[in-house]
Every structure is written in C-alpha cells, then in structure tokens.
Amino acid sequence: MPRLHDWALEQPDKVAFHIAETGEAITYRELDERADRVASWLVSLGLKTGDTLALLLENHARTFELWWGARRAGVYYVPISTHLKAGEVSYIVRDCGARVFITSHTMHELAGQVKDELAEHEAPHRFMLDGTIAGFSAYEQAVDSAPVVSLPERPLGREFMYSSGTTGFPKGIRRAQVPYAQRYALAPLELQLRSIFRFERDSIFLSPSPLYHATARFNIRTIECGGTCVILGKYDAEAALTAIERYRVTHSHWVPTMFVRMLALPPDTRQRFDVSSMQCAIHAAAPCPMHVKDAMIDWWGPVIEEYYGGSENLGVTYLNAQEWLAHRGSVGKTICGELHIMADDDPERELPAGEIGMIYFAGGVPFQYHSDEGKTRSVFNSRGWGTYGDLGHIDADGYLYMSDRRTDLIITGGVNIYPREVELVLGEHPAVAEAAVIAIPNEAFGQEVKAVVELKEPDNAGPALAAELMQWCADRMSRMKCPRSVDFEVALPRSDNGKLLKRVLRERYQK
C-alpha cells in the first residue's frame, strides 16, 4: 500500500485535503513536505522511538502535518478532546507521558489552565499555533527554524487513543508500532475495512466530526489510498450538504445525531442539494433510531452502511443498507472476531440465539489499556473473550442486535428492562426527535422507568404530551416496561462524538 510520500511523487498537485469553510486546499506535495519538516523538528527536539506528542486542537489545517510528521518520526500522537475540562486534559497529558504538548490560540483559555496543572517536567516542550500565551512557544516559528535532519529509519508512529471517559477517567489504548521494514504492510482488519467500504484513489471523504475522535482514522485511510479529504471545522447540517455537493463527496462518516439534524431541515432545503455522488455513508458510535435510518435510505438511497466496534478493536460487526432492510435494527455480522452472547450474571455461560446477554468477541485485535492491567483484565472472561460492556442478542442468521450497556440496564421488581426497547417505541411517535430511558429510584420496586424526551417542536412539551407518550408505550408493550414519568429537554446531553450521556441524566433526575 503506497504511503503519503509515494503519492506525493505520483500525484504531487492533487489535493490531499480541503478545509470546507475557508476553501484552503493542501496538495500531496505540500503535505508531504510539511510532514517531513515536522518529523525533522520532532527528532531535533530529542524525541525517540515510542515517545509521545499530545495534541489539543480544534479541526485545524495543521493537524494533518502533525499526524504524518509524528508517524515518520516514530512518535505516538495523542488527540485530546477540546470539550474536556483542564483536569481531564492534564490527566491524559500526564498519563500518556507526553514530551510535547501542542495546542492552538483558539484553545488558549483551556490550554492555560492545563499548563498551570502540569509540573515543569510534564510535557516540557509546549507550543501554540496562531499566536501564543505565557508558557507556550510559537509552533510555526519553531518548526520553520528547526534544522533539517536526516530522518532515522524508525518504526511507524501512530495514534494513541483515549476513550471518551463516560464511565470515569479516559483509558489509553496504545498499540505496538509497525517496524520500519514493514511500513507498507497493513493489518488484516485495516485491509478488510478499506475493502468493505471501498476506499480507493478516486475517493473523496467528508469528515464532519472532530479530528481528535477515533473516526479521524478514515482520513488517514483516504490519504493512504490516494484520495481527497474534505474537513468541516464544525458540524452544521447545511454546511455538510453544501460540501457534499461542492466537492462531489463519495464517502463520509457520521454519528446518528448528524442524520437527525439533516433530516430536521425543511424539505425544500434538503431537496436543494445534490447528494447523488455519495457512494458510502458510514455511521457508527451510537445507536441509530430505525425511523431515522429509514428516512436516510429513502433520501440518499442504499448507501447507508453501519459498523459496531470500539477503539479497543475487540471485534467489529458490519452491515450494508440491503442487509439492514432485511434485518431492521441489527448492527450486522462480525467481520473481526467471533461473536458470543454470554449470560449477564455468568460471563462463562453462553446463551442461544434470541436471548439477551453480554456481547463478547473471541479472536479480535489484541490490546491492553495503558498502565492499567486491572482495567484490561476486567474486559475479558476466563476464555480470553473480550467485551465492550454492551448487551444484545444474535438472530438465527448471526446478525447482532444491540440492547444497552450493562450500566444502563433497569431492574424493577426483579425484572430486567432494556431501555433501548422502550426508546425505540418512543422514537416512533411523530412528536419525538429522540428519547433516553433511565432508571430512577422506587421505594417498592428498587427502580422505575423514566423517559427523558427531546421533541421535534420543543414548545409542545407539557403534561398532556407526557401522558400521551406514556399511553403510546402502554399500547405497544408490557406495562412493566413503560415509563412511569416523562420529562422534556430541549437537547439531550451528548459527548462530542454524539454518544448520549445517560450518566448525566441519571445524576440530574435522581430523587
């Protein structure tokens, strides 16, 4: 598989990536030259194979040169969410052992707080793009003035990802580097993903998500296949559709809330945009309501494709639009790892098709959490099968259906209630944009079911609609599963990668 430098020689003037809002375009030659200079600079700072670079950046045009510069220098780079608090950022910088910390002036307030929390020896090299504040040197000046050195033949640097931290402090996932002699080789899962999603030289990939998220790997796949990336600085439904039409986008990656926001546009606005160039619209990271997926397939055609997995790569499932229409609600069949559904109360007892239990994968990609053997062990059962902590079942054809995370399970009067089932019923009501179902305390039964609903028209919220929604559920499922109360919020709380934060709702609605 060619690398950036090979493509720069073969197609030097082809655009590697566009920044959609500004129109900035960086060619393969320019990106290759910038990456070489960054790599040379990192080596001149004394960084050695396996050292770490921390990045706290918005969707910045310089991100790509930092990724590839780190890769060439044999350095790990850690993308950090810009939505974290100073204590969370400093924890990651400290935990990953970063020797270099790079941020931008846009992030100066948070960066300053992080600097104050770090000791002098923690990330001792600190740089800022687009201006500086006390404690940071100018990145552009540092890179431009660095001596050009002969790059050593080091292992290929790579991303060092941290989980979103929805259940505590983020967990680092650091994988082994690829030896220099094997730099053109690709791991089996990587080869499979590029083949399934049909990435090739003519691919034009729209990236509407933050570049610090794990899905930014799709940009790397696009460049390594010789294609072109289109980067949105910040997600906006009309801006995304504009970019699809303007750049004739063929590939994209979404979270379901992005679909919801595009579908919420007035019909005449949506019909204004030509999306016929789209060949593969991938979605993941959070469950997609069935009516939302139906609407997207009706609008864009059978190009909506889905996968389920995690940063740990314990296992991955996939299905295309045609499969989904035949197995509605499924997240697909396994393409990495062997699926097993284990009893929730006994991770050693396997359940038959149709029964809900904990989802485990055997034979996925090996991994371990950085500096935390205990957390790593907690993911696996005695057979070495690993879990993301999600509940679900498989059907007779081997298709996986998600229920919930184990921590979201509601137990009322000794009966297990799966919030996802209730959320799907609520989501079919014409007034509902999205619903979150959580447990709240109940003196008699231990827990009871509560629904927190985001409406398509927030002004319609009130006791009458709450009663209507509870009756809607009662007409369609067992009374035991139905919400005993409904509250409304203008917008449900989400992480920066689109995952619903039920933890926030549980804390908010505890009696």
Side-chain angles (χ1 to χ4, degrees), residues 320-338:
N320 59 32
Q322 292 86 353
E323 288 177 297
W324 189 86
L325 291 170
H327 299 270
R328 294 182 76 252
S330 172
V331 294
K333 284 186 170 183
T334 180
I335 60 170
C336 172
E338 183 180 286

Side-chain angles (χ1 to χ4, degrees), residues 41 53-58 60 62 66 100-115 125-143:
W41 169 61
L53 160 71
L55 302 175
L56 179 66
L57 296 169
E58 72 278 19
H60 198 289
R62 295 273 190 169
L66 286 162
V100 181
F101 177 39
I102 298 177
T103 185
S104 72
H105 200 268
T106 297
M107 303 303 305
H108 74 275
E109 185 174 347
L110 177 57
Q113 295 169 358
V114 172
K115 178 206 64 160
H125 303 289
R126 303 170 189 176
F127 299 89
M128 186 170 283
L129 290 151
D130 307 325
T132 60
I133 61 172
F136 290 85
S137 300
Y139 167 83
E140 297 88 349
Q141 181 181 344
V143 172

Side-chain angles (χ1 to χ4, degrees), residues 10-157:
E10 186 171 337
Q11 49 185 29
D13 297 323
K14 181 175 181 177
V15 174
F17 68 90
H18 299 272
I19 302 297
E21 288 86 350
T22 65
E24 182 178 1
I26 302 298
T27 66
Y28 271 85
R29 178 197 292 114
E30 291 169 327
L31 179 56
D32 183 54
E33 291 173 350
R34 291 184 182 189
D36 259 355
R37 181 160 285 282
V38 169
S40 184
W41 169 61
L42 293 173
V43 172
S44 75
L45 288 177
L47 269 67
K48 297 180 173 56
T49 297
D51 281 344
T52 307
L53 160 71
L55 302 175
L56 179 66
L57 296 169
E58 72 278 19
N59 281 11
H60 198 289
R62 295 273 190 169
T63 303
F64 279 64
E65 68 190 60
L66 286 162
W67 286 349
W68 264 276
R71 288 155 69 89
R72 291 181 180 179
V75 170
Y76 286 98
Y77 59 91
V78 179
I80 301 175
S81 169
T82 58
H83 291 278
L84 296 181
K85 301 297 184 183
E88 295 169 308
V89 176
S90 60
Y91 168 84
I92 291 174
V93 172
R94 189 177 297 117
D95 187 69
C96 74
R99 293 199 57 205
V100 181
F101 177 39
I102 298 177
T103 185
S104 72
H105 200 268
T106 297
M107 303 303 305
H108 74 275
E109 185 174 347
L110 177 57
Q113 295 169 358
V114 172
K115 178 206 64 160
D116 292 342
E117 293 199 11
L118 295 173
E120 285 188 16
H121 69 278
E122 294 171 330
H125 303 289
R126 303 170 189 176
F127 299 89
M128 186 170 283
L129 290 151
D130 307 325
T132 60
I133 61 172
F136 290 85
S137 300
Y139 167 83
E140 297 88 349
Q141 181 181 344
V143 172
D144 291 344
S145 62
V148 176
V149 301
S150 177
L151 294 176
E153 295 184 353
R154 292 180 171 180
L156 189 65

Side-chain angles (χ1 to χ4, degrees), residues 1 67 92 95 125 172 197 205 215 243 257 260 331 380 388 424 428 435 442 465 478 508 510:
M1 174 61 67
W67 286 349
I92 291 174
D95 187 69
H125 303 289
F197 293 124
F205 176 72
T215 55
T257 50
V260 171
V331 294
F380 298 94
Y388 296 118
L424 288 172
E428 296 296 330
N442 179 288
L465 183 53
S478 162
R508 189 176 296 169
Q510 290 300 306

